[in-house]
Amino acid sequence: MTRPKKTGEPILAVRAVRTFQAEKAVYAFFLAGADLLRIADLSRVHRDAEGSLHGFQRKGIRSHVQAITDYLNHGPALFPNSIILAISPRARFTAARGERPEGDLRVAEAGTLRIPVPVDGTRAAWIVDGQQRSLALSQAKDKAFPVPVVAFASEDLSVHREQFILVNKAKPLDPRLINELLPEVDAYFPRDLAARKIPSLLVHRLQTAADSPLQGLIRRVSEEENTAVIIDSALIKGIRQSIASGLGALGPLRASGSQPADVDGMYRVLTAFWSAARDAFPEAWGRPATESRLMHSAGIEAMSLLMDRVMSRAAPGVDLYTHAYEALSRVAPHCHWTSGRWAELQRDWNEIQNVARDIKMLSSHLARLDHLYAFAKVAS
C-alpha cells in the first residue's frame, strides 16, 4: 500500500469509497457544507480580453440560494442532494486494510481520501453541479451540516464542461407533477414551493370533492388518460394569482401574521363561482377545449380574473353562488365560448389561444362586460 506523501499544505481527510469509470477515479463521500467552498471553486463562465471562453458555471440566482438557505435554517432538514465535483489528481486515496465482507460486489473499495486545502487561494476541486446548493450550505447556520459528494478526478476543463452539460441537459421535473405532489407532502418547503402548495391543494379538492362543480374535469399528470378537459396548471395559476393579489377574491383569506390561511373559505369561493359558471354557460361546460373555449386554458385563466372582480364585491353574509350566478348570467348572452364571433375582439370563438396576449385581451373584455352590465343593474 502506498502511503500519502507529506506536504506542507493543509489536508482535509474524509472517509470515501472509490471506483473507476472511463479510467478515471470516482469518489463518493460526505463533507461538512462549510468545507465545500474551502476546497472547491465556482468556475464562472466568462471571456477574457482576447475573447477566449473560461469556466462553465452560470451566474448564481440569489433568490434560489436564499430559498435553500431558509430551508436549511428552518430546523432539522433532510437534504440528501449530492454535489458533483471535479477533483484534482493531487488528492490522494488510501484503501482501507482488512478483508472484504462476504457478498461484496467488488465495484468499489473503501478508504480515506485526502484533499489538499491550498493556502494560496487556489482550489483542489471545481463544482460541476450544485453551485447554488453549495453557496446556500456555506451561508447556513449549521456549518457542520453533512452533504453527499460525488467527485471524479480530472483537471481538464473540457471534461468539466462536458459533465456540466450532461448533468444539466436532462429535462427538469414537470411543474405540473410538482404541483400534484405538493398536497401529498406534509413538510416545510422553501418559499417558492410553499406558495404553490395551497393552490395545488385546492385544485386537488376541486377535482375530487363530491360538492365540486369541477369534480372529474381537471386533467392532471397522474390522470392523463382520463376524459378530463381542464388543464390543472391553468386553474392553479388563476388561484395562485388570486391569493397573491391584494385585489384578488382569495387574497383576504391568505395567511397573515399568526393567522393561518383560510383554505376552506377559499374553497367555498371557488365552488360558488365555478358552480355559477357551470349554470350560466351550460352549453360550454364540460366539453373539450377544441369545442369550448370556456374549458380552454385561456378561458380558465380569463374567468379566474373575472372571479376576482365578481367575488370581491360580494357583501358579507350574501349567498356566494347567487351573487356569482347573477353576475355571470348578465354577461352570458355576450359570450361566444362554443360558436360565433367575439365582435369586439375581432376573433372567432376558436381563435382564442393560450398565449398571454389572447388571455389579457379576453380577460379585459370580460371585465368590461361585467362592469357595463353590473352598473346597468344598479342603475335600473
Side-chain angles (χ1 to χ4, degrees):
M1 180 185 299
T2 303
R3 295 187 176 275
K5 296 178 181 179
K6 293 186 177 181
T7 65
E9 59 187 356
I11 292 292
L12 193 154
V14 293
R15 302 296 291 174
V17 294
R18 179 181 67 176
T19 191
F20 288 88
Q21 294 180 349
E23 299 182 351
K24 288 183 172 58
V26 181
Y27 307 98
F29 54 92
F30 283 86
L31 196 64
D35 285 332
L36 272 170
L37 297 186
R38 285 182 60 207
I39 63 167
D41 192 22
L42 290 168
S43 184
R44 302 288 194 203
V45 65
H46 66 281
R47 293 187 184 274
D48 60 22
E50 285 72 39
S52 298
L53 185 67
H54 295 267
F56 53 89
Q57 285 283 4
R58 55 203 153 184
K59 185 177 179 180
I61 302 173
R62 184 177 302 175
S63 60
H64 189 195
V65 172
Q66 188 59 52
I68 299 172
T69 305
D70 291 346
Y71 170 73
L72 292 169
N73 289 341
H74 179 75
L78 181 64
F79 195 67
N81 312 59
S82 62
I83 307 294
I84 299 179
L85 302 181
I87 196 166
S88 169
R90 291 191 297 123
R92 291 288 180 261
F93 181 81
T94 305
R97 295 177 180 272
E99 295 182 2
R100 292 177 178 267
E102 184 179 352
D104 182 13
L105 297 178
R106 296 184 178 274
V107 295
E109 57 182 339
T112 301
L113 181 64
R114 293 175 172 82
I115 307 168
V117 184
V119 294
D120 59 359
T122 61
R123 293 290 184 269
W126 299 266
I127 295 173
V128 173
D129 183 59
Q131 62 154 330
Q132 293 173 112
R133 280 171 279 147
S134 300
L135 289 169
L137 285 159
S138 72
Q139 297 170 16
K141 293 176 184 177
D142 184 0
K143 302 302 180 185
F145 188 90
V147 59
V149 178
V150 174
F152 60 90
S154 173
E155 290 184 308
D156 186 343
L157 180 59
S158 65
V159 174
H160 302 181
R161 287 174 174 165
E162 171 194 278
Q163 291 303 308
F164 176 78
I165 292 169
L166 289 173
V167 167
N168 287 281
K169 81 178 182 67
K171 183 178 179 181
L173 278 177
D174 185 344
R176 291 178 59 208
L177 175 58
I178 295 175
N179 287 334
E180 190 170 348
L181 292 173
L182 279 172
E184 308 298 326
V185 181
D186 185 17
Y188 173 82
F189 286 108
R191 285 194 304 268
D192 59 334
L193 286 179
R196 294 163 62 175
K197 185 169 184 177
I198 289 179
S200 299
L201 179 64
L202 286 166
V203 167
H204 174 72
R205 192 167 169 183
L206 288 168
Q207 168 71 349
T208 58
D211 63 344
S212 168
L214 298 170
Q215 184 187 28
L217 293 180
I218 303 170
R219 192 190 316 162
R220 301 188 291 181
V221 173
S222 64
E223 301 167 320
E224 289 287 7
E225 299 303 318
N226 68 11
T227 57
V229 294
I230 299 172
I231 298 292
D232 55 354
S233 54
L235 198 54
I236 285 174
K237 181 179 178 182
I239 294 172
R240 189 185 307 163
Q241 290 176 339
S242 183
I243 294 173
S245 172
L247 300 176
L250 305 181
L253 303 174
R254 67 174 179 251
S256 177
S258 60
Q259 186 73 21
D262 183 0
V263 178
D264 288 339
M266 293 180 186
Y267 179 74
R268 286 192 294 271
V269 172
L270 290 163
T271 53
F273 179 81
W274 288 107
S275 293
R278 173 196 61 199
D279 297 341
F281 307 107
E283 78 291 344
W285 192 259
R287 297 170 65 177
T290 53
E291 300 176 8
S292 169
R293 281 312 194 247
L294 178 62
M295 301 287 97
H296 191 277
S297 292
I300 293 295
E301 288 192 38
M303 286 290 288
S304 295
L305 292 169
L306 181 60
M307 179 189 74
D308 286 338
R309 285 180 55 88
V310 170
M311 304 307 281
S312 293
R313 62 173 184 260
V318 73
D319 182 80
L320 293 176
Y321 167 81
T322 301
H323 170 79
Y325 180 73
E326 288 178 352
L328 294 181
S329 62
R330 288 193 294 269
V331 304
H334 310 280
C335 294
H336 305 279
W337 298 118
T338 61
S339 63
R341 182 173 177 82
W342 299 83
E344 298 84 352
L345 305 182
Q346 298 184 335
R347 295 288 186 88
D348 288 340
W349 73 273
N350 57 357
E351 290 180 337
I352 302 295
Q353 301 299 323
N354 185 30
V355 295
R357 179 186 60 187
D358 284 14
I359 294 169
K360 181 179 180 180
M361 179 175 60
L362 180 58
S363 60
S364 296
H365 181 59
L366 291 174
R368 285 193 297 271
L369 291 173
D370 174 65
H371 179 82
L372 176 63
Y373 293 105
F375 278 92
K377 177 178 181 292
V378 171
S380 63

